[in-house]
Amino acid sequence: MPTLKFAVLPGDYIGPEVMTAALRVFEHVAKQEGLTLAYTTADVGGAGIDNHGKALPDSTLKLCAESDAILFGSVGGPKWEKLPPKEQPERAALLPLRKHFTLFANLRPGLLYRELTDASPLKTERIPDGIDIVCIRELTGGLYFGLPKHTTTLPDGDIQAVDTMVYKKSEIERILQVAITAARARKKKLCSVDKANVLETSVLWRKTVSEYCAAHAPDIALSHMYVDNAAMQLARDPNQFDVFVTENMFGDILSDEMAVICGSLGMLSSASLGTGRNSLGLPFGLYEPAGGTAPDIAGKGIANPCAQILSVAQMLRYSFNLEPIAKRIEAAVKKAVTSGTRTGDIAFGRPSVGTKAMADAVIAHL
Ligand code: NAD
């Protein structure tokens, strides 16, 4: 009986609520599939600050290092907003976690079921069958991390700020490998997004992607697109993409555009993968909902647990190589969300049947 060893970091506000629901679904699947779940729960974010004086307590980091994957909720909220920026839960917990484990690849499925197309700001005739695409964003390089990065006062009294965009060929190749794997699991169609008409890093990006795919992935239908056009095409006809891969800042912006056209934050999960391998020789990863801690609805029992449940599916897919079980969970979520108005309501942010009832509906379809 395979044992799945993972760390559970629920975080703050709705984090623990949706995590409890997701774990209940996971326990149910595990029983059906003969899996043993060996997980330990630890504080992170505001809970880390309150209980250990630190957003990312040493004991939490140690637990993560000893696990095969991290199932993350979300962190932050009004309770800790007055802290200095460097001590805020997101900045002091999530970013160091990504950095510590070199989680350079962020995979975010953009999924909108056909039955829920009216949740999207796009006209239904543009997405008659919903949306089903994947964004792969480089997460630890580019403009956000490049040095020098500073603000200086010039001799004439003017003020100058500098950010630096840096990419190495090796960094481009490693994110590309993740994108190729994702594309191979889908329609074998990959669009690389850059700004090669203006940026040196993008020229290297495009050349590296072209050469690497020609040499190592001739089975992939590769295309290139400038980022400004990609932003337009996402709003015009999102399904022309299957998998798209891009650098850090472009991915930050395009993945948020993708989230909004998919209609509901409570439905989107994400996987962050790194260079590390777990004890099974598979990618070590952090799996989390795309949304935040939703303080406005915390404690009411109405948060949509689907993104957290879909994060479990992602963890099974990448860190445990259990694709069939991941697909079963995804199919059950789809059925639960689309099979009735009441359960469907929750994805639209309308009055809902509640977190627990949604998890029950998913379990009923497993
Ligand atoms: P948010 O994503 O928490 O909420 C935005 C809106 O979406 C709210 O109206 C909320 O009620 C709704 N929403 C989000 N998730 C939902 C769900 N599962 N079900 C139903 N509705 C849901 O964004 P925000 O309000 O800007 O941020 C709140 C806090 O979360 C902030 O402290 C922010 O820093 C933090 N945050 C954390 C993460 C993370 O941990 N990865 C990500 C984003 C924001």
Side-chain angles (χ1 to χ4, degrees), residues 14 72 74-77 90 94 265-266 288 290-297 303-304:
I14 66 160
F72 196 90
S74 44
V75 294
E90 243 187 302
L94 193 52
L265 256 187
E288 60 175 326
T293 58
D296 53 334
I297 57 166
N304 188 348

Side-chain angles (χ1 to χ4, degrees), residues 2 4 35 68 181 277-278 280-283 287 312-326:
L4 311 187
L35 305 169
D68 287 329
T181 304
R277 298 274 142 181
N278 61 24
L280 308 165
L282 295 164
Y287 303 89
V312 169
Q314 299 245 55
M315 180 169 80
L316 287 167
R317 170 169 295 125
Y318 295 111
S319 287
F320 296 108
N321 197 25
L322 292 169
E323 176 71 23
I325 308 179

Side-chain angles (χ1 to χ4, degrees), residues 127-283:
I127 43 167
D129 297 320
I131 299 172
D132 183 4
I133 59 179
V134 174
C135 167
I136 302 209
R137 166 190 171 195
E138 203 289 330
L139 205 56
T140 53
L143 208 49
Y144 295 2
F145 291 92
L147 297 173
K149 191 180 197 60
H150 55 72
T151 305
T152 42
T153 302
L154 300 172
D156 65 0
D158 204 352
I159 300 171
Q160 177 173 280
V162 176
D163 291 295
T164 306
M165 194 166 196
V166 191
Y167 267 108
K168 287 191 235 162
K169 186 178 172 190
S170 54
E171 289 175 306
I172 301 166
E173 285 183 347
R174 70 182 186 181
I175 185 72
L176 188 59
Q177 285 161 11
V178 174
I180 288 168
T181 304
R184 283 197 173 125
R186 293 170 53 94
K187 296 179 191 158
K188 298 191 176 175
K189 207 175 138 194
L190 179 64
C191 180
S192 172
V193 176
D194 62 40
K195 189 71 180 163
N197 50 343
V198 178
L199 298 174
E200 283 294 313
T201 44
S202 281
V203 172
L204 178 65
W205 182 281
R206 190 172 284 218
K207 185 171 183 291
T208 304
V209 169
S210 299
E211 289 175 358
Y212 189 93
C213 281
H216 302 283
D219 55 318
I220 297 293
L222 174 70
S223 62
H224 301 273
M225 195 179 279
Y226 295 136
V227 63
D228 39 353
N229 187 23
M232 252 183 351
Q233 296 301 333
L234 262 180
R236 199 185 65 81
D237 176 18
N239 288 313
Q240 70 182 277
F241 299 99
D242 184 41
V243 176
F244 67 91
V245 60
T246 190
E247 65 88 48
N248 202 346
M249 184 179 66
F250 299 161
D252 193 0
I253 297 165
L254 292 180
S255 65
D256 267 26
E257 183 183 352
M258 191 181 77
V260 81
I261 62 171
C262 289
S264 172
L265 256 187
M267 294 300 300
L268 298 184
S269 63
S270 88
S272 298
L273 306 176
T275 45
R277 298 274 142 181
N278 61 24
S279 70
L280 308 165
L282 295 164

Side-chain angles (χ1 to χ4, degrees), residues 319-342:
S319 287
F320 296 108
N321 197 25
L322 292 169
E323 176 71 23
I325 308 179
K327 282 211 168 103
R328 275 193 64 218
I329 294 176
E330 288 166 351
V333 168
K334 181 175 180 180
K335 281 188 196 147
V337 172
T338 57
S339 62
T341 322
R342 293 191 71 213

